[in-house]
Every structure is written in C-alpha cells, then in structure tokens.
Amino acid sequence: MNHEKVSILGVDFDNKTKEVFLEKLMERVNSQQKTFVVTANPEIVMYANSDAAYMSLLKEADYIAADGIGIVKGAQILETPIVERVAGFDLLTDLLEKANQQGSRVYFLGAKEEVLQQAVQNVQKKYPAIQLVGSRNGYFDFSDSSIIEAVQATQPDMIFVALGFPKQEQWIHQYLNSASKGLLMGVGGSFDVLSGQSKRAPKIFIDLNIEWLYRLIKQPTRLKRMMVLPKFLLEVKREKKKHV
Ligand code: UDP
C-alpha cells in the first residue's frame, strides 16, 4: 500500500514524486494560498527530536519533502516506502522554472551578500521572465519584524529562504503568521550553488544516491555533521522494533 504520509521519528513526510509536489505547490501559488514547504534530511529529523519547539514548527508545514537518501532508507526500514527522494535544490530549480513560465514574483532571502548578488544575477539571466522583487542577505537580526514587513511589501508569490536550519524554518513561521499569501521554502545552501560558489555533485553521484559522498570529499569538515546519519538509521530501527 502506498501511504500519503510517511512518519519517520515524528516527522510526517509527503509521499509524492517531485512532479506531483510541483503540481500541488503551483496550484497553491496560483490560488494565492500561504504555503510552508520543508525539505527535511536526517539531520533535520534528528534535530527536531532534540528540540520540541522545532518539531512543533515542522508540524505546521504544509508539505515536507524527503530530502536525502537517508530518509528514503528510513522509510524502507519502517516498511512504509517513499516513492522517491526529492532534493531541495531540484525542487527549487523546478519552481524557478515555473516562476519563469508564469512571470511570478520571487524574493531571495539569505546567504552572504556577494553570494546572494551573484545568485540573483545568475537566476535573472537564466530565468528572464521571473520578477525578482527583492533580495536580502541572511545576516540580520531575526527578531526584527520590520524585515518581514519589508519583504511582504514586495508582494512575493514565492520566497526562498537560505539561512540553514533551524533559522530558515523559524523565520518562515514568523513570516506566515502575518502574511496573506506566499509560498515559502527553506533552501539551505542552495544560493551558494546558484551563485556558482559551491558545486552540486556530478550527475553520476546523484544517480547513484551518493551525493553525500561527493560533499564529504569536497568538504571533509562535514564529517561531524554526517555522523548523524548512522545515528538516525539506528533510531529508525529502534522505532521499527517498537511496532513489531
Ligand atoms: N546563512 C545565513 N545566515 C545565517 C547562517 C547561515 O544566511 O545566519 C546561510 C549561509 O551563508 C549558507 C546557508 O545559510 O548560504 C546555509 O548553508 P548550509 O550549508 O549550512 O545549509 P545546508 O544546505 O547544509 O542545510
């Protein structure tokens, strides 16, 4: 049986292909519904399990995509398989493609100033019909609500928030409390990739589901962060045992 939602350690993933995600998200953008999208990897799931406030933020998301092969593996272990991995970066570029087709209003929030400016330039060149209504770097006082007002004033249809977790989800939640429309998605280090500053893994790594290995080779300091994956799988196995 194919479940609509797959719960992994308390996080409810949407069991959808990227195509279906995109269709649903665009329906909501076109009917101007507020939408909170999270792309969650094992690191996020483990963090949510150690931080109740962050877990309750995730409960308010409209969609949670399975970002990472670890999540797909976890779902297999629980015998509630997820149809496919939906990488945050892929969802972002597909949404930009749609925004370009429709001339949508897009806002970019996050990353360092020079990274952001380069990302904005590259996006504008590649997707000339997008209305890039504003951008702001990710180094500001997160409690300053005037920033939320300034973003809202530009009336964006889509806002991509690249602050890394948990900050991006916290900011999105605050924004949606007072907004009347907008699709918001946390995109982690994606502006660094859009700017050309950091590179996505070659296709072969992505196809073999070893993008994590490429990242580790490029940036060995990620090892500490990646050690969360075996812990995650162990926790999932424990969870499975509880239910047999
Ligand atoms: N960042 C930011 N403000 C902060 C902390 C981080 O704008 O206060 C940006 C950072 O410059 C980078 C992104 O958030 O562009 C996070 O990248 P990271 O590699 O941590 O995210 P991941 O994709 O691994 O979740």
Side-chain angles (χ1 to χ4, degrees), residues 50-189:
S50 70
D51 185 317
Y54 188 65
M55 182 63 101
S56 57
L57 276 185
L58 296 189
K59 300 268 179 228
E60 295 203 25
D62 297 293
Y63 294 98
I64 304 188
D67 189 357
I69 194 61
I71 299 295
V72 174
K73 288 262 178 266
Q76 270 168 12
I77 294 171
L78 294 169
E79 291 173 30
T80 47
I82 282 181
V83 279
E84 66 179 7
R85 171 188 176 207
V86 179
F89 188 76
D90 292 337
L91 203 51
L92 166 64
T93 49
D94 285 3
L95 283 167
L96 290 174
E97 194 75 54
K98 292 276 181 204
N100 193 44
Q101 286 163 15
Q102 300 190 179
S104 308
R105 302 172 69 83
V106 172
Y107 196 103
F108 270 20
L109 178 77
K112 295 192 187 116
E113 183 62 24
E114 65 276 17
V115 168
L116 174 70
Q117 288 315 324
Q118 192 59 54
V120 163
Q121 242 185 57
N122 295 352
V123 165
Q124 200 68 91
K125 208 178 201 178
K126 187 158 183 201
Y127 309 100
I130 288 181
Q131 299 184 61
L132 261 167
V133 292
S135 62
R136 176 185 287 269
N137 72 55
Y139 297 86
F140 58 88
D141 176 3
F142 294 104
S143 61
D144 182 353
S145 59
S146 72
I147 290 174
I148 289 182
E149 283 160 29
V151 179
Q152 282 174 1
T154 67
Q155 304 201 356
D157 300 308
M158 299 180 193
I159 306 170
F160 298 108
V161 187
L163 304 174
F165 81 90
K167 287 187 194 134
Q168 55 196 25
E169 283 75 28
Q170 288 159 351
W171 191 87
I172 289 173
H173 186 252
Q174 268 187 55
Y175 181 95
L176 286 174
N177 271 343
S178 58
S180 60
K181 68 164 194 173
L183 175 143
L184 287 91
M185 178 165 111
V187 295

